[in-house]
Amino acid sequence: MDLTLRNGLIITATDTFRADIGIEGDRIVEIAANLPPGRTDFDLGGKWIVPGFIDVHTHFDAYLAPYAMHSPDDFESGTRQAACGGVTSVVDYAFQSTGDTLHDAVSQWDDKARERCYIDYGFHTVVVDPRADVLAEMADMVQDGYPSFKVFMMRGFGDLNDRALYEILKHSKNAGGIVTVHAENGDIVQARSEELFKAGRRAPHEVPYAMPPEAEGEATQRIITLAGLADNAPVYIVHLSSISALEAVRIGRQSGQQVYAETRPTYLLLDDNYYAKPAAEAVRYMASPPFRSRDHVEALWNGLRIGDLQTVASDHTAWNFHGQKELGINDFTRMPPGIPAVETMGPLLFTFGVQTGRITINKWVEVLATNPAKLFGLHPRKGTIAVGADADLVVYDPKRSVTLSKDVTHSAVDYEPYDGFELTGYPILTFSRGTLVMKNGELMVQPGHGQLLRRNRFTSL
Ligand code: MN
Ligand code: MN
């Protein structure tokens, strides 16, 4: 055996049990009691082993044209944080430029990522310019290992109308794909932003008026209706933040539609009180959608617990405070939205979800690893601990105390949004395909270990 992990407590989405794990090359080849030590052996002394988390919503090396801003976090620093937080695969969003094909988008994004990643990475393609040839190309994308697409109902990403959304959903369904959706009513958000701006209400705390829960609920309801009309096309709502959107998902699922939804750690942990802080603080927490009031936060935990929400993903989008976020202190229209969380997501959910009793340890693994792997064509190769699966494994010390700060986390940006949060339980070893990539916050491999993921066509959960 190349590698053995012995005396660990294995935790999957369904089971918790003591066993040793044997690994040859990239794969798990044996799970049994009392395996003899391999050529490399880790005696874990009862620590936990979980499948590496799969973050299906990141924006590394992002560029936001309206602000002419580049994210300080690229695929090197982004996947460094991922490995340190127990994430062994990311699926980032490759944006199509008008006039380009979807294959062009993947190739442009792979140019940013190739030889830069510590862990495996894949891409969803954002459909911005749904010309007839692009709609036809969607079947080739699925064939080539890119079975997930993205559409924005916000303005500024192709300004897709209902006809365009319907066509994209229909072509995705026929191709064997799934469409992920940023669901907010773009016209309302635009109208209300202009209203605020003209009235001189430009401080960051005004933003929630422009992006109300109703705009999210309406758009979520509408995309689910369109997906139903498009022959029950699989649809996945990203970063769901509000009660009305959650209700729309619940009703869609109850009526038999292939509707799935993700939330972010921020919407589970932080609320709109952050916008009442001084503007120089509030800008650090500006997200799209914005943080909601406490009743929404509690509803999301419940949705996660009972399965109305199937995944948690970071939507990691990182901007410096100095020179980027701070431009919004007196004018929210100059402030790039986004928060880094790929590294802290797993440990935050463990402390504030599992240890508080809101979700079980197995649900924690399910929403961070198994469900994202299943929905995005990576299961059973990834997302679980099984013979034949990739040895993407994280050793977790459930007793380790960590107080989050800029010095502890590994982002390239100049602040840590969860500064001062006290956590119990933290990843200490991360293995990617049988290779130790992270030990106690130190990277053990060079960038380039991570490989481009080709994923399978959509199958329902
Ligand atoms: Mn979004
Ligand atoms: Mn996003």
Side-chain angles (χ1 to χ4, degrees), residues 95 114 140 149 154 204 208 220 237 289 302 339 407 414 420 455:
F95 285 71
R114 201 180 321 112
D140 301 327
F149 305 95
M154 296 284 272
T220 304
I237 311 301
N302 191 49
I339 293 169
D407 295 335
D414 60 4
R455 297 174 289 119

Side-chain angles (χ1 to χ4, degrees), residues 57 150 152 182 238-239 288 315:
H57 192 159
K150 166 95 170 264
F152 282 83
H182 179 132
V238 303
H239 55 48
S288 168
D315 196 5

Side-chain angles (χ1 to χ4, degrees), residues 122-310:
F123 299 110
H124 316 277
T125 50
V126 184
V127 183
V128 171
D129 181 12
R131 311 177 306 264
D133 63 296
V134 171
L135 293 172
E137 188 194 9
M138 290 172 70
D140 301 327
M141 294 304 291
V142 175
Q143 287 289 330
D144 292 343
Y146 304 98
S148 46
F149 305 95
K150 166 95 170 264
V151 293
F152 282 83
M153 299 172 82
M154 296 284 272
R155 297 290 158 243
F157 301 90
D159 294 341
L160 305 177
N161 61 21
D162 290 349
R163 167 84 189 262
L165 295 171
Y166 172 79
E167 297 282 2
I168 291 164
L169 287 161
K170 195 143 194 170
H171 281 80
S172 170
K173 165 73 196 260
N174 290 339
I178 182 168
V179 177
T180 74
V181 186
H182 179 132
E184 286 184 280
N185 183 314
D187 287 337
I188 292 299
V189 172
Q190 195 169 48
R192 285 193 155 201
S193 298
E194 287 174 15
E195 241 175 88
L196 290 174
F197 194 79
K198 283 181 190 146
R201 294 168 55 189
R202 296 174 192 178
H205 74 262
E206 302 281 6
V207 168
Y209 174 81
M211 307 172 100
E214 291 86 347
E216 185 186 358
E218 185 282 326
T220 304
Q221 174 69 70
R222 178 156 42 100
I223 198 72
I224 292 170
T225 301
L226 294 174
L229 293 170
D231 198 15
N232 194 8
V235 65
Y236 174 96
I237 311 301
V238 303
H239 55 48
L240 189 145
S241 74
S242 65
I243 292 170
S244 54
L246 184 60
E247 283 301 314
V249 167
R250 189 201 318 271
I251 291 165
R253 290 174 61 77
Q254 277 171 355
S255 70
Q257 273 195 243
Q258 300 191 82
V259 183
Y260 307 94
E262 152 201 300
T263 191
R264 298 169 74 180
T266 44
Y267 302 135
L268 293 166
L269 297 165
L270 309 178
D271 59 35
D272 57 4
N273 285 317
Y274 278 79
Y275 302 138
K277 292 172 182 276
E281 274 294 301
V283 288
R284 299 165 201 242
Y285 297 96
M286 205 45 64
S288 168
F291 299 170
R292 307 299 193 189
S293 56
R294 206 69 214 170
D295 49 334
H296 294 276
V297 173
E298 291 309 321
L300 294 179
W301 277 113
N302 191 49
L304 204 59
R305 192 173 56 75
I306 66 178
D308 288 339
L309 297 167
Q310 294 77 42

Side-chain angles (χ1 to χ4, degrees), residues 53 83-87 343 347 394-397 400 425-430 438 440-441:
F53 298 143
C84 290
V87 173
E343 180 170 4
V394 176
V395 176
Y396 213 85
D397 181 348
R400 181 148 176 162
Y426 219 75
I428 54 171
L429 303 172
T430 299
M438 186 283 289
N440 292 325

